[in-house]
Amino acid sequence: MTTLAAPQPPTTTTRTSTRTLVSALWLFAVLCYLYCDVLGFFVPADLAAILDGNVGGLELTDGFLLASAVLMTIPMGMVLLSRVAPHRVARWGTVGAGTIMTLVQVGSLFVGSGPRPHYVYFSVIEIAATAALVVLGLRWRRAD
């Protein structure tokens, strides 16, 4: 009489590809940018300033809003680019865009009358995420 052994779980672990990790990290950063800005609408003084068109000494002109839109298109575009672009484009795009977004976020902490606690909290996360993207991009090899 023969007995059947119970099936064994696979012994190999699966590793997330660098391409998937980079794309997910870009998406994480975009969501952090978005939610941080949404929370700003819940601060009455900030909402009043937005409605008046002047926030912390920054005039909310059409040019300013267009520049903000272009800036935020960078990480949003990188979610897609990091998934579908050829390796070299996705890699160097990640390094360049991550560097730009890290520097912009660090600089934003010193604009206006001082950031609110929720902004500092998200900024630390966003800076860490985009700096990690730069490091990942620099280490990203085609086989990953």
Side-chain angles (χ1 to χ4, degrees):
M1 178 160 103
T2 309
T3 59
L4 298 175
Q8 298 296 316
T11 57
T12 60
T13 58
T14 57
R15 183 174 165 265
T16 303
S17 73
T18 302
R19 187 175 287 270
T20 299
L21 180 59
V22 166
S23 180
L25 205 46
W26 275 118
L27 182 57
F28 175 73
V30 168
L31 292 171
C32 285
Y33 294 133
L34 178 62
Y35 197 68
C36 181
D37 289 345
V38 167
L39 286 178
F41 296 131
F42 290 92
V43 179
D46 291 350
L47 182 57
I50 291 168
L51 294 174
D52 286 341
N54 190 306
V55 178
L58 294 172
E59 190 175 346
L60 303 181
T61 64
D62 285 341
F64 176 83
L65 295 175
L66 177 60
S68 296
V70 169
L71 181 67
M72 284 298 105
T73 303
I74 294 171
M76 289 186 282
M78 287 307 302
V79 173
L80 178 62
L81 188 75
S82 64
R83 292 294 295 169
V84 301
H87 174 263
R88 185 179 179 102
V89 173
R91 178 182 185 217
W92 290 111
T94 293
V95 171
T99 300
I100 290 168
M101 296 310 296
T102 300
L103 293 173
V104 166
Q105 197 59 41
V106 168
S108 75
L109 291 169
F110 304 100
V111 175
S113 57
R116 298 206 176 265
H118 80 276
Y119 191 87
V120 173
Y121 171 79
F122 274 110
S123 289
V124 168
I125 293 169
E126 294 157 4
I127 290 164
T130 53
L133 280 160
V134 172
V135 172
L136 272 171
L138 291 170
R139 294 181 178 176
W140 189 1
R141 300 296 170 239
R142 187 175 300 275
D144 288 346

